[in-house]
Amino acid sequence: MRLLGALGAECGRLGGVLAELTEREAAAPTRCAPWDVAALAAHTVGALDRVPVALDGEAPPRAEVSAAGYYAPDVRFSPEVDADRIDSAVRAAARHGDAAEPGRRLRELWGHLEPRLAGEPEGRVVRTRHGDAMALEDFLLTRVFELVVHGIDLADALGRAPWTSPEGAEAVELLLFGEAGRPEGMGALSGLRAATGRHLEGGPTAEDLKGSGVRFLALG
């Protein structure tokens, strides 16, 4: 239920922003080149779309991969998989009827998904598109991570302050820093940026996290 709250908070904030995107904003470049805002929005909403697909599949007998293990530097980040990931988001963006479509899609998707997730049994295991057998809770944590970090990417591209929810930031911080937490004196958003390669000029970097016990995840 804690992750449901974090996921719902991120969907609500991101959906509100995307539902009001203008065509000019949708064409803005992002740090996730070659994606513009429209393609990155399509990719981010697509991350949540993976959840019902996983739920519809046959449940593995046991979980074998953690949320951190999901971001392993293996074939899922190979040039071929990365190219497909990039192209699929570009194609999805091209199919949008208008700039605000991803926001409407996200709201609709979460409206159907939230009650379904609330009804899933404790200990539910799913298989991801990469073949990982994961506890549903861990898989949902990866979805919160995707919405949080790409929400920051979108906010930076749009020239806005990040809209990261407290619930989403807390969940991602636990994934990245564990129970020890981020270094003392470092803000939550600064720590998240530093740990994921999204630091701003003059802000803390990955170098400042040495000795903190941070998990540097493999990201595409």
Side-chain angles (χ1 to χ4, degrees):
M1 293 306 293
R2 178 182 65 84
L3 283 175
L4 271 184
L7 197 55
E10 287 303 310
C11 285
R13 294 191 179 203
L14 179 60
V17 171
L18 296 183
E20 296 181 356
L21 274 185
T22 66
E23 298 297 334
R24 182 175 181 178
E25 288 174 326
T30 74
R31 67 166 51 88
C32 303
W35 287 336
D36 57 11
V37 165
L40 181 54
H43 170 76
T44 306
V45 174
L48 189 66
D49 223 352
R50 299 289 180 184
V51 178
V53 175
L55 291 174
D56 288 340
E58 183 177 353
R62 62 187 177 279
E64 299 172 349
V65 178
S66 66
Y70 177 85
Y71 294 98
D74 57 19
V75 68
R76 73 195 69 200
F77 294 117
S78 67
E80 295 78 13
V81 175
D82 271 341
D84 180 68
R85 184 182 293 114
I86 291 168
D87 291 345
S88 63
V90 172
R91 292 194 301 268
R95 292 194 296 268
H96 291 160
D98 60 79
E101 186 174 326
R104 296 193 299 272
R105 170 61 182 152
L106 180 59
R107 286 173 167 176
E108 177 186 24
L109 179 58
W110 181 244
H112 292 298
L113 189 56
E114 182 180 23
R116 182 175 182 182
L117 288 172
E120 287 294 323
E122 185 177 353
R124 174 75 151 91
V125 179
V126 298
R127 192 173 299 282
T128 74
R129 70 184 179 115
H130 298 299
D132 301 314
M134 298 183 69
L136 176 59
E137 182 177 8
D138 277 344
F139 186 53
L140 293 183
L141 179 53
T142 69
R143 302 305 89 184
V144 174
F145 180 83
E146 295 288 327
L147 266 62
V148 166
V149 296
H150 286 317
I152 292 172
D153 294 331
L154 288 164
D156 289 348
L158 294 169
R160 305 187 191 184
W163 47 77
T164 311
S165 69
E167 301 93 332
E170 180 183 7
V172 171
E173 183 174 318
L174 187 59
L175 171 62
L176 293 173
F177 293 100
E179 296 292 345
R182 64 184 182 278
E184 187 176 353
M186 185 178 293
L189 193 58
S190 294
L192 196 161
R193 283 184 178 276
T196 61
R198 288 163 169 80
H199 64 273
L200 298 179
E201 186 176 356
T205 68
E207 187 71 17
D208 296 306
L209 297 177
K210 282 188 173 180
S212 68
V214 64
R215 299 184 182 103
F216 289 113
L217 307 180
L219 305 174

